[in-house]
Amino acid sequence: MSWRIDVAVQTPAHSALGDVLSYASGVRVTPGALVRVPLGRREVLGVAWAAHQEDAGPAAVELKPIGAVLDALAPLDEAWRDLVAFAARYYQRSLGEIALAALPPQLRDLSAVQLARRLKRKRSDSPPGGVSPCAVALSAEQTEALSRFEAEAGPFLLFGSTGSGKTEVYLRAVAALLAREPQAQALVMVPEINLTPQLEARFKERFGADSVVSLHSGMTNPQRLASWLAAHSGAARIVLGTRMAVFASMPALRLIVVDEEHDPSYKQQEGARYSARDLAVWRGRRESAKVILGSATPSLESWHQSRPAAGDDAGGRYVRLSMPSRIGTGALPRVRLVDMNLQPPKTVLSAALLDAIGQRIARGEQSMVFLNRRGYAPVLACADCGWKSECPHCSAYRVFHKIDRTLRCHHCGFTERVPRACPECGNLDIAPVGRGTERLEEHLGELFAAVRRPDGSAVRIARIDADSTRKQGALESQLAAVHSGEVDVLVGTQMIAKGHDFRRITLVAAINPDGALFSGDFRAPERLFSLLMQSAGRAGRDAAYVSAQGATAEMWIQTHHPQHPLFVALKRHDYPAFAQGELEDRAAAGMPPFAFQALLRADARTQEVAQAFLGAANAAADALAGSDQVTRYPAVPLAIQRVANVERAQMLLESASRAVLQRVLAGWQPLLHELRRTPEGKGVIRWLVDVDPHSI
C-alpha cells in the first residue's frame, strides 16, 4: 500500500502546472502538514493538500517521493486551507502561490530538524498576559455600538468620525471576547506599517506583551517567523498586522477588525492582487468570527453594503454602527476653502493661511501642511530648449531631490546626479517646475525665518515622507518629536494624514488637492475625499488642549474649484451626502459597486506586442460560456505605459454578475496559457488578471 500526496508548491508564474503536484509517500501525510519535496533540481517547501491511498501496480505512475514532513509543527487547519483555496480561485492565481506567500519566508528554508529545534527553544510555560482594567469612560455612542456588536451577527461597518473613539471600541470588543473565551484569538488589521507600533503599544498596555504579536513586511524574517508561530500555536491571543496578516494561521480566530477599511493599501498591487479587507469578511463568515470594518470615510462598496432596508430594497449585508461625534467636548475642525482663483499668480500659500499658521506658532500650537508629492520638484526643465527630466526607462519624469542633488524616477528607481547644465543645449539655467514636500519645507522655512516660538527660539519645521523616513527608526524619532511639541509645522505626504493621534495640532492645510477631481480613474474623488477627511481629523483631537489654548481647530483647503460638490460636502463633514452623490453617479454609469470588474494586463517590450496579445485574448473569450454577459473593452496603454523599459497595456472586463464574471475568468485561464505559445504571445513578458481592481 502506498499514498499519493497532493502538495501545493510555489510553481513558476504562468507555468500552467496546475494547483497541486503529486508525490509518493509510504505513510499517510495529514492534509495541512508542511512538507519538503523535490521540484526540478531543488527541494522546496510545500503544503500537503490531500492524501489518496493507492495500490501499487504496473499502471501506476512513478512519482517522486516526499523528502520530509515537518511534523514538529501542527498542520494548517481546514479553515486556513479553505481561505487559501478561495483566494486562489477568486483572484485567478495558483493554489501554491497563495499558500506559500502566506507563510513566513524563513520557514521555507528550515529543515524538519531545524524547525523542531526552533520550536523547542520557543516553548514557554509562562501564562499569557492578563487584561488590564479599562479606565477610559465610554461615550453613549461607543456604548451603543458595543451593545449592538455583542447582540447582532454582523459583519459590522463602524462608521465613526475621526476622534470618535473607534480604537477603544476595538479594544473593548477584544477584551470582552478574551474574557468570554479563554482560548479565543483576535486579528486586528491596519493599512500602513507606520501605524502598527502605536496601536501595538495600546494593545500591549491593555492585554500584556505576551498576548500580542505583530505581522508586517517591515519586520525581519526571524521576527515574522516568531510571530507566525505564536499565532499558529495559539500562544498569541491577538495578532496586529497589515494586509498579509489576513492569511495568518489562527486556529481559534473569533474576531477580525479591519481599521481604516477604506484604505487602498489593503489591496495587494503585486503578484496575487487580493483585497485583504474582502478576504477578512469571507474568512469571518467561514470561521464564524465576527468582523468589524472601521472608518470615518468607508469605501463606497462597504457603505453600499451597510445601507438600511428601504421599500423594495432589502438593504445591505453589513450592519452599520454610527459614531458621528468626537469623544468629550471636542468638535470636528472647521473647514475653510481658499479660492486660489482670487490669489496672485504663482501663489503657493495664501496670505490668510500663512497668517493662521503664524498665529499657531505664536501660541505654541502645531500646524500640519499636507502635499501628496514628495521630492523637491516633480520636474527639472530648461526654458531655452524645452528639455525636461524624463526617465530614459519610463514614460514619466524623474523627480528633482534637492537634498542629495539627484534626479530620481519614482517608478523604476533610476537615479542620476543633477546635471550642471541642460543636457540638450548646455544652458546653465535649468530650473525646478512644480513643488514637492522638500521644496514646500524649504519655502516655509524661508517664510517663517524671522518668527519666534513663545520661548524665543527659532521655528522648527519637519518633513515626514518616504524619503525622510528611509533610515531605520527615522519615522519613530520624527513622530516622537511631533508628539513632544518640538515641531511647529509638520510637512508631509499622505503618511501623516491618517491614523496618527497628534494632540497639539490645531490647523491642517491641504495645498494642491485639485488634480484628483478630474482624474480618469472613477475612484479618484472617493480617495481624495477620504484623504482630506482623514487629514482634517488630525486637527483638534485633544479637546482639553484646544479649549485651554482658546483655539479653534481648522482645516484649510486651497483649491481652484471651491464650489465642487466634493468640497461642499467636506466643508460640512458630510460623508453620507458625498457617498450618496457618488453612488448615484456610479449606478447611472453601471460602475462598482453596481457592477463587477477585472483587468487583464500584459507587459511586453513593445506596446504593439502587448496590445496584440490582449486583442487575441479578447477574441478567444468569445467562445466562453457567459461571455455575452461580460463587456470587454478595447485594450489601451496604462496611464504610465512604460516602466523599466517594459510596455504595459490593459483590457477592462465588466459584468452585472460577479458569478458570471468569475466563470468567464476561470474558463479564460487555459486559453491565456495557450496564447503564450502562439505568435501573439511570444513577445509577452508576463500577463496577469486583476479582479476588483482599485485603479484603472
Side-chain angles (χ1 to χ4, degrees):
M1 236 7 136
S2 63
W3 292 84
R4 173 169 59 85
I5 310 299
D6 294 338
V7 179
V9 296
Q10 192 155 22
T11 52
H14 305 309
S15 60
L17 287 178
D19 273 342
V20 294
L21 301 180
S22 295
Y23 294 87
S25 174
V27 296
R28 182 179 184 273
V29 178
T30 305
L34 295 183
V35 295
R36 300 201 67 83
V37 295
L39 182 64
R41 297 182 180 180
R42 299 175 298 139
E43 187 176 76
V44 299
L45 183 69
V47 180
W49 218 259
H52 310 276
Q53 200 169 31
E54 292 189 335
D55 293 320
V61 176
E62 187 173 342
L63 300 175
K64 291 182 179 179
I66 281 180
V69 179
L70 279 63
D71 49 13
L73 194 69
L76 294 153
D77 63 22
E78 185 180 9
W80 185 89
R81 300 197 307 276
D82 284 351
L83 172 69
V84 167
F86 169 77
R89 188 169 62 250
Y90 186 82
Y91 293 105
Q92 304 295 315
R93 310 296 292 198
S94 75
L95 193 65
E97 179 185 11
I98 300 286
L100 272 296
L103 300 176
Q106 197 173 30
L107 198 55
R108 301 172 203 170
D109 301 325
L110 296 179
S111 67
V113 174
Q114 290 170 324
L115 179 61
R117 286 176 184 162
R118 184 180 183 93
L119 289 170
K120 192 174 182 180
R121 288 202 311 268
K122 288 291 179 186
R123 285 199 183 100
S124 169
D125 296 325
S126 60
V131 180
S132 65
C134 303
V136 181
L138 293 177
S139 69
E141 291 173 359
Q142 289 173 311
T143 302
E144 171 69 14
L146 281 165
S147 176
R148 290 191 63 191
F149 171 74
E150 293 295 337
E152 300 179 49
F156 300 90
L157 175 65
L158 181 59
F159 170 50
S161 66
T162 53
S164 63
K166 293 188 292 296
T167 302
E168 184 62 29
V169 170
Y170 305 152
L171 288 163
R172 294 293 182 105
V174 172
L177 169 70
L178 301 191
R180 188 169 60 246
E181 297 184 45
Q183 303 304 318
Q185 293 176 294
L187 170 62
V188 181
M189 296 169 60
V190 294
E192 303 274 359
I193 290 172
N194 62 57
L195 299 182
T196 308
Q198 65 187 53
L199 196 66
E200 185 178 38
R202 290 190 65 176
F203 270 85
K204 285 186 174 179
E205 181 184 7
R206 186 72 61 91
F207 300 105
D210 293 336
S211 297
V212 183
V213 298
S214 290
L215 269 177
H216 56 77
S217 60
M219 302 167 70
T220 65
N221 283 345
Q223 288 172 333
R224 281 174 64 178
L225 178 59
S227 292
W228 188 88
L229 290 172
H232 178 66
S233 67
R237 306 286 300 281
I238 302 161
V239 173
L240 302 178
T242 50
R243 63 175 175 259
M244 68 163 61
V246 76
F247 289 111
S249 174
M250 302 176 69
L253 181 63
R254 296 292 178 270
L255 172 63
I256 304 175
V257 174
V258 184
D259 191 26
E260 309 291 4
E261 66 87 30
H262 65 276
D263 199 287
S265 299
Y266 284 120
K267 173 74 168 170
Q268 172 74 289
Q269 293 300 326
E270 298 294 334
R273 302 194 172 204
Y274 63 86
S275 165
R277 177 198 65 207
D278 296 347
L279 286 180
V281 174
W282 192 94
R283 185 174 188 180
R285 185 169 65 247
R286 166 61 179 82
E287 301 192 38
S288 300
K290 286 195 173 183
V291 178
I292 307 176
L293 310 178
S295 178
T297 54
S299 64
L300 290 179
E301 284 82 0
S302 296
W303 186 255
H304 182 65
Q305 283 292 355
S306 69
R307 69 193 185 281
D312 294 334
D313 185 355
R317 295 184 295 116
Y318 301 170
V319 176
R320 187 183 299 171
L321 309 175
S322 294
M323 298 197 312
S325 308
R326 277 191 158 178
I327 290 296
T329 58
L332 290 168
R334 176 188 176 193
V335 177
R336 301 186 59 162
L337 302 176
V338 179
D339 189 345
M340 296 304 287
N341 298 300
L342 306 179
Q343 302 297 315
K346 298 185 179 180
T347 296
V348 178
L349 297 158
S350 65
L353 175 56
L354 289 172
D355 180 60
I357 295 174
Q359 290 179 32
R360 262 71 181 181
I361 294 171
R363 293 199 299 262
E365 300 166 23
Q366 294 174 319
S367 300
M368 187 176 99
V369 183
F370 165 69
L371 176 64
N372 208 19
R373 178 179 285 157
R374 61 189 173 101
Y376 189 84
V379 183
L380 202 60
C382 172
D384 281 5
C385 71
W387 172 86
K388 293 180 180 177
S389 54
E390 293 179 353
C391 176
H393 310 298
C394 307
S395 51
Y397 294 114
R398 284 175 294 163
V399 175
F400 172 38
H401 289 259
K402 186 177 181 181
I403 201 162
D404 59 1
R405 302 294 298 174
T406 60
L407 291 175
R408 192 182 311 157
C409 178
H410 289 176
H411 300 281
C412 73
F414 179 67
T415 303
E416 282 186 330
R417 299 288 297 172
V418 172
R420 295 180 179 274
C422 173
E424 297 289 335
C425 70
N427 174 28
L428 294 174
D429 191 20
I430 50 176
V433 178
R435 197 167 300 271
T437 47
E438 262 186 49
R439 194 175 189 183
L440 184 59
E441 177 190 25
E442 180 184 272
H443 186 54
L444 284 164
E446 294 167 351
L447 292 170
F448 291 109
V451 178
R452 289 292 176 265
R453 308 174 77 186
D455 63 2
S457 61
V459 172
R460 181 173 174 188
I461 296 166
R463 172 172 53 89
I464 294 182
D465 57 26
D467 297 315
S468 71
T469 58
R470 193 167 292 167
K471 292 182 180 177
Q472 186 77 25
L475 176 62
E476 289 76 11
S477 64
Q478 289 175 318
L479 289 175
V482 178
H483 288 300
S484 67
E486 297 174 38
V487 174
D488 300 293
V489 182
L490 175 62
V491 177
T493 57
Q494 63 179 5
M495 284 181 69
I496 62 172
K498 47 194 176 184
H500 298 290
D501 192 16
F502 299 126
R503 311 303 291 178
R504 304 186 192 193
I505 287 180
T506 57
L507 181 147
V508 173
I511 299 305
N512 184 23
D514 288 350
L517 295 176
F518 309 103
S519 167
D521 187 345
F522 71 91
R523 295 186 193 273
E526 177 186 0
R527 286 195 289 264
L528 176 61
F529 188 91
S530 171
L531 197 52
L532 293 177
M533 203 78 161
Q534 295 287 333
S535 301
R538 299 316 107 207
R541 295 179 71 85
D542 190 333
Y545 176 77
V546 174
S547 177
Q549 293 292 107
T552 301
E554 292 183 333
M555 169 70 171
W556 289 63
I557 299 173
Q558 296 191 160
T559 174
H560 287 89
H561 306 278
Q563 304 305 319
H564 194 284
L566 184 149
F567 293 130
V568 173
L570 189 71
K571 194 168 183 177
R572 300 195 306 262
H573 296 276
D574 195 348
Y575 171 81
F578 168 76
Q580 180 181 347
E582 284 292 299
L583 285 171
E584 287 172 356
D585 290 346
R586 298 244 191 123
M591 290 180 172
F594 305 100
F596 304 94
Q597 296 179 329
L599 285 173
L600 175 62
R601 292 184 171 169
D603 294 352
R605 289 300 174 194
T606 68
Q607 187 65 212
E608 291 75 21
V609 168
Q611 293 204 30
F613 175 79
L614 295 178
N618 194 359
D622 287 337
L624 297 173
S627 63
D628 57 329
Q629 299 175 56
V630 176
T631 302
R632 305 191 302 275
Y633 294 91
V636 294
L638 268 69
I640 299 177
Q641 71 178 57
R642 189 176 84 258
V643 171
N645 293 321
V646 173
E647 291 283 340
R648 311 183 303 165
Q650 64 184 15
M651 183 175 74
L652 176 66
L653 293 85
E654 198 169 67
S655 177
S657 167
R658 190 196 299 270
V660 168
L661 180 60
Q662 280 289 315
R663 280 199 300 272
V664 168
L665 292 175
W668 214 14
Q669 283 284 339
L671 302 181
L672 293 171
H673 285 297
E674 285 296 322
L675 270 176
R676 284 298 300 275
R677 292 186 277 272
T678 66
E680 290 86 353
K682 287 296 184 184
V684 174
I685 299 169
R686 56 186 164 264
W687 57 268
L688 64 89
V689 176
D690 186 357
V691 181
D692 301 334
H694 267 218
S695 57
I696 297 175

